[in-house]
Amino acid sequence: MKARIKKLKKKKKEDADKAKKEDSEKEEETKEEAEAEEKTDNYILPDSSKRILADSEVSGLSKSELRLARNEIFARHGRMFDDQELQDYFNSKSWYRGTIRPEDFSESMLSETEKANIETIKKYE
């Protein structure tokens, strides 16, 4: 009888350890998914500063999204906005650090890729 109780206790502990490990793995997956989502969800066009965008990536955006996407390129460089709606929108983003007044911002701060993407966005805006 003692051996059976001992065996049941051992099995129960193994099951608890297995469940704990599975919970930990699920928690880690959820954390990784949330981090990946945060990286992309905070941007309309996450790669607009790194690569030339295809028309197909831009053409499906609404007028409002196009406006935000275009200004997102400026915001990444710390440009602040006179338009309160834009300023509030970018203030809500974890990555945004507005440090440059609109009148002090120069398009020379942008890369050629960013300038090309602005032009692409403007075509659809």
Side-chain angles (χ1 to χ4, degrees), residues 37-44 72 89 92-95:
E37 188 173 302
E38 181 177 327
K39 287 177 184 172
T40 58
D41 267 3
N42 280 322
Y43 296 99
I44 303 289
E72 181 175 88
Y89 173 81
S92 76
K93 303 301 174 193
S94 60
W95 54 264

Side-chain angles (χ1 to χ4, degrees), residues 39-90:
K39 287 177 184 172
T40 58
D41 267 3
N42 280 322
Y43 296 99
I44 303 289
L45 296 169
D47 295 336
S48 65
S49 65
K50 299 176 186 143
R51 64 176 180 81
I52 300 291
L53 300 170
D55 283 1
S56 61
E57 293 176 276
V58 177
S59 63
L61 298 176
S62 69
K63 260 195 169 327
S64 174
E65 289 171 323
L66 289 165
R67 179 175 182 247
L68 292 173
R70 180 173 46 82
N71 283 289
E72 181 175 88
I73 294 170
F74 301 118
R76 280 190 175 114
H77 290 275
R79 185 188 191 277
M80 297 166 67
F81 301 90
D82 289 327
D83 182 294
Q84 194 60 49
E85 185 181 328
L86 281 175
Q87 190 62 53
D88 291 344
Y89 173 81
F90 289 113

